[in-house]
Amino acid sequence: MQPTSEFSAPKLAKSLLRRRREGALATLMQSGGAPYCSLVNLASHPDGSPLLLISRLAVHTRNLLADPRVSLMLDERAAGDPLEGARIMLLGTAVEAGADDGPLWRRRYLAAHPAAEGYIDFADFSLFKIETSGLHLVAGFGRILDLAPDRYLTDLRGAEALLDVEASAVAHINADHSGTMKLYATQLLGAAEADWRCTGIDPEGLDLQCGRATLRLDFPDRVENPVALRDMLKRMADIARKAE
C-alpha cells in the first residue's frame, strides 16, 4: 500500500501507546549482556509513556535494575498476517516510581488492569515508567520511520489543572455518564455497543476500555483545565448524538 496524505506517523504511534495493554519487553541479561525478551502488561502515563508493574522475582526486573536500558515492542494485533499490522519499537530507560509519582502511576495502572488490585501492593512488585529516547515505527510499505519523543508524547506543560482533577473526573464520568461513553464508542469510534468506561484523560484525548478492548478518543483541540474538559466532553457528545 502506498503512503497517503491521511497517514500520520505521530498519530499512529500515539494511538498504539495509549491502546496497547501488553507488549514485548527486552532487557539485557546481568551475566553477559545477552538480550532477554518477555511479555509484560502495561498502561500509559498521561504523557503516553508506558507504565509497567513488575516483580523483583522476574528476570527482566533484575536485569533492568542492573542496567535500565530497555526496548518495548507494541503491535496492533490485526487479523491476518501480523506483519501487515502497524508496530512500534520503543527505546528508553526504565525508571522506578518515587514517592511523588507513585499515586498517579498506581491509579493509571489499575484503571487499565483492575485485576492487579490483588497484588499491586505486594512487597516484591514495583511500578516503572519507560522514559523514551525514540521509537521505530513500521506501518506498511513506505511507512517505516523513526520518531523523536516530542512527536509521540503528549506535552503536559500548562495542563496541571487538568491532571489535578483527572482522577475525580474519570470517577464522575464512569458513575454518571456511562451512556455518553457508549455514545462516543459507537458513534465516534465505530465500536460495538458495550460497557465502555473511561480509564484516563489527558490534554489530547480520552481513553476508553471494555475488558481487554481499548479505544482512543482524540480531542479536536487541546484541553488544559476542568472547564475546557467539560466543554469538550459536551461538544463531543453533541457530535455523537448528531451521528446517531
Side-chain angles (χ1 to χ4, degrees), residues 33-137:
Y36 178 89
C37 191
S38 52
L39 182 66
V40 293
N41 283 334
L42 45 103
S44 64
H45 186 275
D47 70 3
S49 298
L51 298 176
L52 314 175
L53 176 65
I54 48 180
S55 168
R56 281 175 163 74
L57 301 177
V59 172
H60 53 243
T61 308
R62 297 199 298 268
N63 287 343
L64 64 81
L65 287 173
D67 186 335
R69 292 177 296 170
V70 300
S71 63
L72 180 73
M73 174 165 278
L74 309 177
D75 71 282
E76 282 187 317
R77 300 294 169 96
D81 185 349
L83 294 182
E84 293 183 357
R87 62 265 193 197
I88 57 176
M89 192 280 294
L90 198 73
L91 295 170
T93 301
V95 177
E96 189 170 2
D100 294 336
D101 306 311
L104 171 62
W105 297 10
R106 187 181 195 279
R107 174 170 54 78
R108 276 266 174 168
Y109 192 89
L110 288 176
H113 301 281
E117 181 80 48
Y119 55 85
I120 193 170
D121 294 322
F122 286 4
D124 62 297
F125 275 87
S126 295
L127 286 160
F128 287 81
K129 181 175 81 166
I130 298 180
E131 295 190 346
T132 73
S133 56
L135 67 74
H136 183 69
L137 169 70

Side-chain angles (χ1 to χ4, degrees), residues 17 20 34 64 78 102 113 130 140 142 156 160 168:
L17 284 170
R20 296 313 304 157
L64 64 81
H113 301 281
I130 298 180
L156 299 179
E160 292 81 6
S168 58

Side-chain angles (χ1 to χ4, degrees), residues 21 108 111-112 166 170 174 197-201 207-209:
R21 292 292 179 257
R108 276 266 174 168
E166 186 205 8
V170 168
N174 289 329
R197 63 185 180 86
C198 177
T199 59
I201 302 168
D207 298 321
L208 297 172
Q209 186 165 325

Side-chain angles (χ1 to χ4, degrees), residues 92-242:
T93 301
V95 177
E96 189 170 2
D100 294 336
D101 306 311
L104 171 62
W105 297 10
R106 187 181 195 279
R107 174 170 54 78
R108 276 266 174 168
Y109 192 89
L110 288 176
H113 301 281
E117 181 80 48
Y119 55 85
I120 193 170
D121 294 322
F122 286 4
D124 62 297
F125 275 87
S126 295
L127 286 160
F128 287 81
K129 181 175 81 166
I130 298 180
E131 295 190 346
T132 73
S133 56
L135 67 74
H136 183 69
L137 169 70
V138 178
F141 179 76
R143 297 177 173 180
I144 301 174
L145 66 162
D146 297 317
L147 296 176
D150 63 354
R151 303 284 308 282
Y152 57 83
L153 292 183
T154 300
D155 188 351
L156 299 179
R157 291 175 297 182
E160 292 81 6
L162 176 66
L163 299 181
D164 286 344
V165 302
E166 186 205 8
S168 58
V170 168
H172 171 69
I173 287 170
N174 289 329
D176 298 336
H177 299 284
S178 60
T180 303
M181 296 303 102
K182 292 179 183 178
L183 201 62
Y184 290 163
T186 57
Q187 301 304 315
L188 299 182
L189 300 173
E193 185 166 337
D195 187 21
W196 294 102
R197 63 185 180 86
C198 177
T199 59
I201 302 168
D202 60 79
E204 295 183 340
L206 179 147
D207 298 321
L208 297 172
Q209 186 165 325
C210 179
R212 299 293 294 182
T214 58
L215 298 170
R216 173 69 176 178
L217 179 68
D218 292 320
F219 296 150
D221 301 301
R222 183 176 168 88
V223 168
E224 295 186 340
N225 58 65
V227 173
L229 174 63
R230 181 192 62 201
D231 292 344
M232 178 59 72
L233 295 179
K234 182 180 183 302
R235 175 181 169 187
M236 301 301 284
D238 289 342
I239 294 172
R241 291 188 183 96
K242 289 179 181 178

